[in-house]
């Protein structure tokens, strides 16, 4: 077959695109439908990119701008209004989540300036386990000493602890995130059972069961 310019034309070029005699490398492939993500999956992709610092424009967000501050459901002044503890034994800096009569999530910013570090230990600053338990109990107190539970702001005591486990050390520079959940309440006797878990960066560092007592005014 000759072309208008007198040049020989390849036989395969005269075959229709779907002809089985057409070499596979030249055959037209069906167009693939574009991949679409569900809304939850799309949000997850965006969250992962944000965590990696990708703003979608080939740029990265500086690490100091990637992490939003913790919410302040209760600030330190509101905590002072509820808990009787004061320096150096107030071990809750902020409440970041709270559901009246059910649970509270508080944080303790662990710094090298905490007064227990010079002795525990001078060469390796680790937060004492008993103080982690005390901090968790104080978060539990924020649940106990509320009108929804019928507690008194004058009386708040440890009645017992059980099944306490320390999973990882907490060191200076960590932020201890503590969740205390009310499991059982005997309002008549002012006794409550609570479950507590403490985390650093998503890792479980301490957990246990707490028995707490509060009196009536």
């Amino acid at each position: 077959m000759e072309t208008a310019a007198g040049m020989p034309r390849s036989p395969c070029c005269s075959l229709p695109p779907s002809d089985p005699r057409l070499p596979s490398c030249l055959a037209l492939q069906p167009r693939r439908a574009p991949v679409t993500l569900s809304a939850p999956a799309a949000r997850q992709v965006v969250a992962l990119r944000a965590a990696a610092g990708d703003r979608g424009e080939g740029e990265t967000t500086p690490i100091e701008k990637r992490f939003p501050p913790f919410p302040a459901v209760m600030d330190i002044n509101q905590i002072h209004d509820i808990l009787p503890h004061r320096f150096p034994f107030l071990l809750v800096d902020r409440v970041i989540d709270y559901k009246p009569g059910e649970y509270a999530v508080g944080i303790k910013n662990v710094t090298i300036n905490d007064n227990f570090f010079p002795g525990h230990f001078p060469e390796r600053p680790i937060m004492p386990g008993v103080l982690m338990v005390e901090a968790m109990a104080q978060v539990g107190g924020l649940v106990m000493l509320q009108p929804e539970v019928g507690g008194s702001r004058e009386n708040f005591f440890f009645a017992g602890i059980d099944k306490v486990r320390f999973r990882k050390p907490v060191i200076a520079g960590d932020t201890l995130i503590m969740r205390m959940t009310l499991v059982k309440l005997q309002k008549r006797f002012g006794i409550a059972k609570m479950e507590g878990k403490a985390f650093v960066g998503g890792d479980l560092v301490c957990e246990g069961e707490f028995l707490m007592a509060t009196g009536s005014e």
Side-chain angles (χ1 to χ4, degrees), residues 172-185:
D174 285 340
T175 297
L176 188 65
I177 304 175
M178 303 161 285
R179 174 181 287 270
M180 293 292 291
T181 304
L182 183 62
V183 176
K184 185 177 181 181
L185 174 66

Side-chain angles (χ1 to χ4, degrees), residues 57-120:
E57 301 173 353
E59 302 178 17
T60 57
T61 303
I63 191 169
E64 65 271 17
K65 297 182 179 180
R66 294 182 198 172
F67 304 101
F70 285 107
V73 176
M74 293 184 195
D75 62 20
I76 191 61
N77 295 313
Q78 293 168 299
I79 293 172
H80 275 161
D81 290 339
I82 300 172
L83 293 181
H85 307 73
R86 293 296 182 267
F87 177 84
F89 223 65
L90 179 58
L91 301 175
V92 184
D93 294 321
R94 179 182 294 185
V95 173
I96 61 175
D97 194 11
Y98 171 67
K99 189 170 184 179
E102 293 190 21
Y103 67 85
V105 181
I107 64 172
K108 158 67 178 166
N109 293 308
V110 184
T111 79
I112 196 62
N113 293 317
D114 283 312
N115 67 338
F116 47 78
F117 278 139
H120 197 280

Side-chain angles (χ1 to χ4, degrees), residues 179-198:
R179 174 181 287 270
M180 293 292 291
T181 304
L182 183 62
V183 176
K184 185 177 181 181
L185 174 66
Q186 296 180 356
K187 186 177 291 188
R188 179 181 176 184
F189 301 102
I191 302 293
K193 181 180 180 181
M194 306 190 79
E195 289 184 350
K197 292 187 177 182

Side-chain angles (χ1 to χ4, degrees), residues 133-134 136-137 156-164 180 190-196 208-214:
V133 171
E134 171 63 25
M136 296 166 71
F156 164 52
F157 307 101
F158 247 146
I161 53 176
D162 195 16
K163 299 180 181 178
V164 174
M180 293 292 291
I191 302 293
K193 181 180 180 181
M194 306 190 79
E195 289 184 350
E209 297 177 355
F210 295 70
L211 194 63
M212 305 166 86
T214 180

